[in-house]
């Protein structure tokens, strides 16, 4: 323990103040829990009862004096006090008072253990499960089993190469691996949720875009929860592009489903019409009027069918176009109509077809507008969740630095109270540096977050291909949320 700072580094390069190692390790070291087995002493100090924690703190008090023995004894005490702000102690009696059972301790029943030992073990386990901190890296990153495995491999490879393991470098390596996994997990969540929630074809484009927005919101949250140290937003931008491409795929699938369903519906509705045409039932006097009424019935029944999807008008337009030659042939064969009446019917048919095409063409700009607004909502959702994550990281870093500062100030006070003024004075540089760091973080927090958001907005806009005018409106609305 006394050589920790020589065996591992917190940062890849020391700070100009030369105090990085003295504070850096505190931010990610675990709590210190000291277990004392076969404890036979009384928990008393100067004749007064003390707790297990007080027993530990008393054992860690520095020994006055400058002789080599005192200095040597103080080194380990000072390291424990220095690196571990939170300390806990548990003492255990012998598991059993029966010597013959101790020789086979692994094989005896729990009921054969001393009741006092069992109670002490229960207290210890309860504390670990309830109060022990999850292993973390710098900036509050919690270590999972996979992370721990990768971290061990990274350390071992570094040590085998003859170098000193560096936590900062290890975290950078871990971030690349974990952020890639977080991106994949988020993308899979989007794909699965869209497949479960969307019934193709959707009645309208907006219905699909609303489902996309809900799934994307969850997807970004999944990524934010499982990613860390994505400082350049590399993986968030990749995820943005993946979701954009997957959304386009779902839009195409929706259109294809709509075309297929509408075509099937028209085929079923027009069976009788096509049979009558094949049999020449309309190639008789008055046949054009009969044909027109039959086609109108098909049109009415077609529009009564629900959830035909986004291609309903386009497919029906194609159907009308396919009927134009047939209609013209029937019209010309109908001897009950004069040439003037035939001309009027042809003109009416042309107007109907033109109006239908006009309505279909009017739909396209509206759909494009919906798409652009959806892209803008996607950008805003990414920005909102990124800001929340940045603010959480900032607050977490401030809390961590404040915790370290409080620990250092407490240690300095203890040194002074116990007559170690020189050591207390030696901590001044660390404490001043920590105070300066905290003040600097508070002053730069808002401009820094805004700068990150602006950069991300510009890069994300290029990925989403959103018109600048629409982005400007969206960002103006977004910025108002944080004033």
């Amino acid at each position: 323990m006394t050589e920790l700072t020589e065996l591992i580094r917190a940062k890849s390069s020391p700070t100009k103040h030369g105090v990085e190692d003295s504070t850096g390790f505190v931010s990610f070291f675990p709590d210190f829990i000291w277990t004392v087995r076969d404890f036979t002493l009384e928990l008393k100090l100067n004749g007064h009862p003390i707790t297990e924690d007080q027993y530990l703190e008393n054992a860690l008090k520095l020994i006055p004096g400058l002789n080599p023995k005192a200095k040597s004894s103080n080194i380990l005490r000072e390291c424990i006090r220095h690196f571990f702000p939170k300390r806990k102690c548990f003492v255990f009696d012998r598991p059993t008072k029966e010597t013959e059972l101790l020789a086979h301790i692994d094989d005896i029943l729990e009921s054969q253990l001393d009741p006092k030992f069992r109670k002490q073990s229960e207290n210890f386990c309860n504390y670990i499960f309830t109060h022990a901190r999850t292993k973390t890296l710098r900036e509050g990153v919690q270590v999972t089993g996979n992370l721990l495995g990768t971290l061990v491999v990274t350390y071992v490879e570094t040590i085998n190469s003859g170098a000193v393991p560096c936590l900062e470098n290890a975290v950078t390596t871990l971030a690349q691996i974990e952020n890639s996994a977080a991106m994949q997990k988020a993308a899979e969540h989007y794909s699965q949720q869209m497949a479960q929630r969307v019934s193709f074809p959707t009645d309208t484009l907006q219905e699909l875009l609303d489902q996309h927005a809900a799934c994307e919101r969850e997807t970004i949250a999944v990524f934010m929860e499982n990613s860390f140290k994505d400082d350049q937003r590399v993986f968030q931008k990749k995820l943005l592009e993946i979701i954009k491409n997957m959304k386009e795929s779902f839009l195409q699938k929706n259109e294809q489903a709509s075309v297929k369903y509408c075509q099937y519906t028209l085929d079923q509705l027009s069976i009788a019409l096509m049979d009558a045409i094949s049999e020449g039932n309309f190639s008789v006097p008055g046949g054009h009027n009969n044909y027109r009424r039959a086609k109108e019935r098909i049109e009415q029944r077609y529009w009564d069918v629900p959830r035909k999807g986004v291609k309903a008008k386009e497919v029906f337009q194609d159907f009308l176009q396919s009927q134009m030659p047939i209609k013209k042939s029937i019209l010309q064969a109908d001897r009950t109509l004069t040439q003037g009446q035939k001309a009027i019917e042809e003109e009416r048919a042309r107007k109907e077809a033109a109006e239908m095409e006009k309505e279909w063409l009017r739909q396209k700009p509206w759909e494009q507008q919906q798409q652009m607004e959806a892209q803008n909502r996607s950008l805003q959702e990414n920005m909102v969740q990124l800001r929340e994550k940045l603010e959480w990281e900032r607050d977490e870093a401030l809390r961590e630095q404040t915790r370290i500062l409080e620990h250092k100030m407490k240690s300095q006070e203890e040194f002074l109270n116990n007559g170690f003024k020189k050591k207390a004075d030696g901590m001044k540089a660390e404490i001043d540096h920590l105070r300066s760091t905290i003040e600097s973080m508070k002053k730069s927090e808002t401009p820094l977050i805004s700068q990150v958001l602006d950069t991300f907005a510009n890069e994300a806009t290029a990925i989403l291909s959103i018109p600048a005018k629409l982005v400007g409106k969206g960002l103006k609305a977004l910025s108002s949320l944080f004033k």
Side-chain angles (χ1 to χ4, degrees):
M1 184 175 293
T2 58
E3 299 175 351
L4 273 175
T5 56
E6 298 175 15
L7 299 176
I8 186 171
R9 292 206 314 271
K11 288 193 173 183
S12 56
S13 57
T15 65
K16 64 181 180 179
H17 302 280
V19 297
E20 188 274 326
D21 277 338
S22 65
T23 58
F25 289 96
V26 176
S27 65
F28 66 90
F29 269 15
D31 296 339
F32 183 85
I33 301 177
W34 189 25
T35 59
V36 186
R37 55 172 287 186
D38 299 341
F39 189 77
T40 56
L41 301 176
E42 284 189 285
L43 285 175
K44 286 186 177 182
L45 180 64
N46 299 326
H48 299 285
I50 57 173
T51 64
E52 294 160 305
D53 293 341
Q54 289 171 329
Y55 171 78
L56 170 61
E57 294 305 311
N58 183 64
L60 293 178
K61 283 185 177 179
L62 299 186
I63 300 173
L66 300 176
N67 60 78
K69 186 176 180 180
K71 286 185 178 181
S72 177
S73 298
N74 285 340
I75 289 176
L76 183 56
R77 290 179 169 89
E78 197 168 344
C79 283
I80 294 174
R81 299 178 72 92
H82 191 66
F83 288 119
F84 302 98
K86 189 174 181 180
R87 300 182 289 270
K88 186 72 177 173
C89 179
F90 290 92
V91 299
F92 296 87
D93 288 50
R94 281 193 170 194
T96 176
K97 295 181 174 61
E98 299 181 34
T99 307
E100 61 273 14
L101 292 179
L102 286 173
H104 307 283
I105 193 68
D106 292 337
D107 301 321
I108 69 174
L109 299 174
E110 185 175 335
S111 59
Q112 293 177 284
L113 295 173
D114 185 272
K116 190 174 181 181
F117 176 83
R118 292 208 306 268
K119 181 60 177 176
Q120 292 166 338
S121 300
E122 182 182 344
N123 292 340
F124 171 76
C125 292
N126 286 339
Y127 178 84
I128 295 297
F129 295 141
T130 307
H131 301 289
R133 285 198 306 162
T134 303
K135 181 175 176 59
T136 58
L137 303 177
R138 296 180 70 116
E139 300 172 3
V141 178
Q142 292 192 347
V143 179
T144 62
N146 288 335
L147 272 177
L148 182 60
T150 306
L151 190 63
V152 170
V153 171
T154 303
Y155 281 172
V156 170
E157 289 177 348
T158 303
I159 292 170
N160 288 341
S161 70
V164 176
C166 171
L167 183 67
E168 186 176 51
N169 293 341
V171 169
T172 300
T173 301
L174 288 175
Q176 294 291 316
I177 297 171
E178 290 302 307
N179 289 344
S180 179
M183 179 183 70
Q184 183 64 32
K185 182 177 181 179
E188 289 174 357
H189 178 85
Y190 175 83
S191 179
Q192 292 169 358
Q193 291 303 309
M194 284 291 287
Q196 290 175 13
R197 299 182 190 184
V198 180
S199 178
F200 296 102
T202 58
D203 197 29
T204 63
L205 172 62
Q206 192 60 52
E207 181 184 337
L208 178 60
L209 293 177
D210 287 345
Q211 290 288 5
H212 156 75
C215 292
E216 184 180 40
R217 186 180 306 112
E218 295 175 9
T219 296
I220 298 170
V222 169
F223 174 77
M224 292 298 182
E225 182 181 354
N226 293 278
S227 64
F228 65 93
K229 207 172 175 58
D230 187 20
D231 295 337
Q232 302 303 315
R233 317 304 152 198
V234 172
F235 292 95
Q236 186 176 358
K237 287 182 289 187
K238 284 182 181 179
L239 178 62
L240 184 65
E241 189 166 6
I242 289 171
I243 298 306
K244 176 191 173 184
N245 293 335
M246 291 175 76
K247 185 194 78 172
E248 292 297 328
S249 177
F250 279 115
L251 288 171
Q252 290 178 11
K253 182 178 179 180
N254 194 43
E255 291 181 355
Q256 292 167 359
S258 177
V259 169
K260 184 177 180 180
Y261 181 59
C262 290
Q263 191 60 59
Y264 171 79
T265 300
L266 278 174
D267 288 346
Q268 294 299 306
L269 293 175
S270 61
I271 288 176
L273 175 68
M274 301 309 292
D275 288 344
I277 292 171
S278 298
E279 294 169 2
N281 294 348
F282 299 121
S283 300
V284 295
H288 177 265
N289 193 40
N290 294 335
Y291 168 79
R292 183 167 56 83
R293 285 199 300 270
K295 192 161 65 69
E296 286 174 352
R297 285 195 297 271
I298 291 174
E299 181 175 0
Q300 181 179 353
R301 292 171 65 188
Y302 175 78
W303 291 118
D304 287 342
V305 173
R307 298 189 66 82
K308 293 182 293 298
V310 295
K311 290 293 185 177
K313 291 180 181 178
E314 186 176 340
V315 171
F316 191 74
Q317 174 71 12
D318 291 341
F319 170 74
L320 293 181
Q321 289 292 335
S322 71
Q323 289 293 307
M324 287 297 288
I326 299 172
K327 181 177 181 178
K328 187 173 182 180
S329 175
I330 293 173
L331 179 63
Q332 293 302 323
D334 194 338
R335 296 178 182 177
T336 62
L337 298 175
T338 65
Q339 290 300 320
Q341 289 174 321
K342 290 179 180 179
I344 291 172
E345 285 295 330
E346 286 181 353
E347 181 60 25
R348 185 173 71 172
R350 279 194 295 270
K351 284 183 178 180
E352 286 178 355
E355 185 59 35
M356 179 69 74
E357 185 172 4
K358 239 189 243 186
E359 187 177 349
W360 174 65
L361 291 174
R362 279 196 297 266
Q363 182 180 339
K364 284 298 175 186
W366 169 238
E367 289 180 351
Q368 291 173 355
Q369 180 67 19
Q370 287 178 303
Q371 290 265 37
M372 287 188 292
E373 290 175 355
Q375 299 285 60
N376 192 37
R377 285 196 299 272
S378 176
L379 173 61
Q380 291 187 45
E381 187 61 41
N382 271 274
M383 296 274 285
V384 166
Q385 295 203 35
L386 175 57
R387 185 181 188 99
E388 290 174 353
K389 187 175 181 69
L390 291 172
E391 289 177 341
W392 179 87
E393 289 175 346
R394 174 204 62 198
D395 294 343
E396 187 68 21
L398 276 172
R399 279 192 294 269
E400 188 59 41
Q401 291 298 312
T402 302
R403 186 177 73 89
I404 296 172
L405 175 60
E406 291 172 350
H407 165 59
K408 295 295 180 183
M409 293 176 66
K410 182 180 177 182
S411 296
Q412 186 185 46
E413 183 180 0
E414 288 175 348
F415 280 141
L416 283 172
N417 292 339
N418 289 289
F420 293 91
K421 186 176 183 302
K422 188 175 182 181
K423 289 187 177 293
D425 293 341
M427 297 185 68
K428 186 176 184 304
E430 289 182 82
I431 292 173
D432 289 345
H433 175 58
L434 278 167
R435 283 176 173 155
S436 175
T437 299
I438 292 171
E439 286 303 313
S440 178
M441 290 171 69
K442 288 179 179 179
K443 289 178 181 178
S444 62
E445 58 186 28
T446 302
L448 182 60
I449 290 176
S450 297
Q451 183 181 350
V452 171
L453 290 173
D454 288 344
T455 301
F456 177 79
N458 292 332
E459 294 169 341
T461 298
I463 294 172
L464 294 171
S465 304
I466 307 175
K469 182 178 180 181
L470 191 60
V471 173
K473 290 180 179 178
L475 293 182
K476 184 177 180 181
L478 181 64
S479 62
S480 67
L481 297 176
F482 304 105
K483 289 181 179 178

